[in-house]
Amino acid sequence: MSKRSTTTMAAVALVCAVTVLTAPGAAFAAPAPTPSPSGSPSASPTSAAPDTPETAELEAVRKKIDKLYHDAAVATDEYNAAEEKADKQSVAIVKLAQKIAAGQKKLDRLQSSAGAAAREQYRTGGIPREAQFMLSGDPQQFLDNAGRAYQGQQATRNLLSELARTQKDLAGYAEDASAKWKDLEEGRKKKAAAKKKVEKQIKEAQTLEGKLEKKERERLQKLEEEAQQKAQTAWLSSGVLKEIDGKASKAGKEAVQFATAQMGKPYVWGAEGPKSFDCSGLTSQAWAAAGTPIPRTSQEQWKQLKHIAVEDMRPGDLIIYFDDASHVGMYIGDGAIIHAPRPGRTVTVAGAGSMAILGVVRPDA
């Protein structure tokens, strides 16, 4: 990372922290309540109290839209997980096909050898050539031929054993391939169902937004900002930032550098770059660029990566949001994250406490 880019990134994070980091439209669902010092929400999410009937109605619309986008995020994780699993299954099927092809060649060779042995036995009237030599009256020749006969018998037994073993291996490979094809088809069905769910939720949210007048949409965005500001202020007021002084690792700096370079690119569900991202697509690609591959989805990132206390987090760590781990952002320092928020938004900087924090994970622990 250049000195200039490092300075710019730090300045962006600092300004965001000072201004309470109220990036518009950052959350999928209603923001977190006043968090405990550990950064965990202590109650169910709340939002700014409406002051007029019109505001109350618009606040209800905001909550409904947030829920629709949240449900779309959950379905997106399901889609991404199915896609990742399908990719792995496809690779496994290709490897099995290669094993089957190699095994079939080996089987053909062994069967050819076994056939040659059978033909030789037929030509000698059922008595191997070595056994015929054993009928000689010369004792030494008898002993020599006996040894050769034993070796021939051993070779034949080994040939038949290898033939049987290869046939068994081929049957096993075929069975595994069949099972993986079945899993692949089931995965495709899950992926298609998740895609349908994502598109439905996003369409409903966009339709709901589309019914609003221009002034109402502007007010709706203001309500989003106010809700996020309230949550971020509560998080900062807890004093948690005073405890956070971790310095980024080398890989963490590289991951942050990658993520910040994507600023302004649109959120597209299921996308992992280079022109667009969803939330976990951004974090997984950022860490892949830093040389540390991590799970593709926010839920698997939460399950598989090492959990870190909020007060111990450092730039590059991932903050997982909501009880269902349906959203993820990358901590960049000074109380800020960079993340891909939701459809209709772009990769942006936001307050780390502007959504309900589930926990923090470290990819390079």
Side-chain angles (χ1 to χ4, degrees), residues 44-63:
S44 59
T46 58
S47 57
D51 47 19
T52 66
E54 292 79 8
T55 302
E57 185 177 344
L58 201 56
E59 176 66 12
V61 171
R62 183 188 72 80
K63 288 181 178 179

Side-chain angles (χ1 to χ4, degrees), residues 3-56:
K3 183 177 181 181
R4 181 180 177 184
S5 61
T6 302
T7 303
T8 302
M9 185 179 67
V12 169
L14 183 58
V15 170
C16 290
V18 172
T19 57
V20 205
L21 302 169
T22 55
F28 278 114
T34 301
S36 63
S38 67
S40 300
S42 56
S44 59
T46 58
S47 57
D51 47 19
T52 66
E54 292 79 8
T55 302

Side-chain angles (χ1 to χ4, degrees), residues 186-343:
E186 290 177 357
R188 284 174 178 164
K189 290 178 182 178
K190 288 182 180 179
K191 183 178 172 181
K195 179 181 179 181
K196 188 176 181 180
K197 192 185 299 183
V198 173
E199 292 173 339
K200 178 184 177 183
Q201 302 292 346
I202 292 176
K203 185 177 180 180
E204 285 186 27
Q206 291 174 337
T207 299
L208 199 56
E209 286 182 289
K211 291 179 180 179
L212 300 174
E213 298 288 340
K214 182 180 178 182
K215 288 184 178 180
E216 290 177 319
R217 287 197 296 271
E218 291 173 351
R219 178 57 182 153
L220 180 67
Q221 182 169 318
K222 185 172 175 54
L223 286 174
E224 289 179 356
E225 293 172 3
E226 289 172 353
Q228 293 156 37
Q229 179 177 357
K230 181 178 179 181
Q232 175 70 357
T233 300
W235 187 71
L236 293 175
S237 298
S238 71
V240 65
L241 204 58
K242 295 178 183 178
E243 304 295 328
I244 301 173
D245 58 1
K247 294 182 179 180
S249 64
K250 182 177 180 296
K253 289 178 181 178
E254 292 175 357
V256 170
Q257 182 181 21
F258 178 93
T260 53
Q262 314 312 313
M263 289 273 287
K265 292 184 178 180
Y267 176 104
V268 174
W269 69 271
E272 47 188 335
K275 295 182 179 180
S276 57
F277 296 87
D278 62 21
C279 67
S280 57
L282 177 64
T283 55
S284 61
Q285 287 302 303
W287 273 100
T292 305
I294 64 173
R296 169 65 177 87
T297 68
S298 58
Q299 292 177 347
E300 288 304 310
Q301 289 170 6
W302 174 244
K303 287 179 184 177
Q304 296 185 36
L305 301 179
K306 184 176 181 180
H307 290 202
I308 300 295
V310 173
E311 59 269 22
D312 294 331
M313 70 179 173
R314 65 193 187 194
D317 287 345
L318 306 181
I319 303 181
I320 309 297
Y321 293 97
F322 309 119
D323 289 341
D324 51 11
S326 57
H327 190 62
V328 59
M330 179 179 292
Y331 186 64
I332 59 175
D334 295 317
I337 61 165
I338 186 165
H339 71 149
R342 66 164 173 83

Side-chain angles (χ1 to χ4, degrees), residues 88-109:
K88 290 179 179 178
Q89 288 170 338
S90 295
V91 171
I93 289 171
V94 169
K95 288 181 178 179
L96 281 170
Q98 291 171 341
K99 286 183 177 180
I100 289 172
Q104 188 60 55
K105 286 182 179 180
K106 182 179 180 181
L107 183 63
D108 292 344
R109 188 177 68 253

Side-chain angles (χ1 to χ4, degrees), residues 35-212:
S36 63
S38 67
S40 300
S42 56
S44 59
T46 58
S47 57
D51 47 19
T52 66
E54 292 79 8
T55 302
E57 185 177 344
L58 201 56
E59 176 66 12
V61 171
R62 183 188 72 80
K63 288 181 178 179
K64 187 172 182 180
I65 289 173
D66 278 351
K67 185 179 186 306
L68 287 168
Y69 279 127
H70 173 268
D71 292 345
V74 174
T76 296
D77 243 20
E78 293 172 1
Y79 175 90
N80 290 336
E83 185 174 50
E84 185 177 39
K85 186 175 181 181
D87 289 343
K88 290 179 179 178
Q89 288 170 338
S90 295
V91 171
I93 289 171
V94 169
K95 288 181 178 179
L96 281 170
Q98 291 171 341
K99 286 183 177 180
I100 289 172
Q104 188 60 55
K105 286 182 179 180
K106 182 179 180 181
L107 183 63
D108 292 344
R109 188 177 68 253
L110 291 171
Q111 287 177 332
S112 177
S113 298
R119 289 191 296 274
E120 174 66 17
Q121 188 175 20
Y122 176 79
R123 283 197 299 270
T124 56
I127 303 176
R129 186 177 300 166
E130 292 83 354
Q132 293 181 25
F133 291 154
M134 290 170 64
L135 298 177
S136 168
D138 185 341
Q140 184 58 48
Q141 186 178 9
F142 177 84
L143 291 174
D144 292 342
N145 290 336
R148 284 195 292 273
Y150 174 77
Q151 291 173 355
Q153 291 169 356
Q154 193 66 31
T156 300
R157 281 195 294 268
N158 291 342
L159 175 64
L160 294 176
S161 295
E162 190 173 3
L163 185 62
R165 186 166 56 250
T166 301
Q167 289 173 325
K168 184 179 179 180
D169 288 345
L170 279 171
Y173 296 152
E175 187 176 347
D176 287 348
S178 177
K180 281 182 169 54
W181 272 114
K182 184 178 179 181
D183 289 343
L184 186 61
E185 285 304 309
E186 290 177 357
R188 284 174 178 164
K189 290 178 182 178
K190 288 182 180 179
K191 183 178 172 181
K195 179 181 179 181
K196 188 176 181 180
K197 192 185 299 183
V198 173
E199 292 173 339
K200 178 184 177 183
Q201 302 292 346
I202 292 176
K203 185 177 180 180
E204 285 186 27
Q206 291 174 337
T207 299
L208 199 56
E209 286 182 289
K211 291 179 180 179
L212 300 174

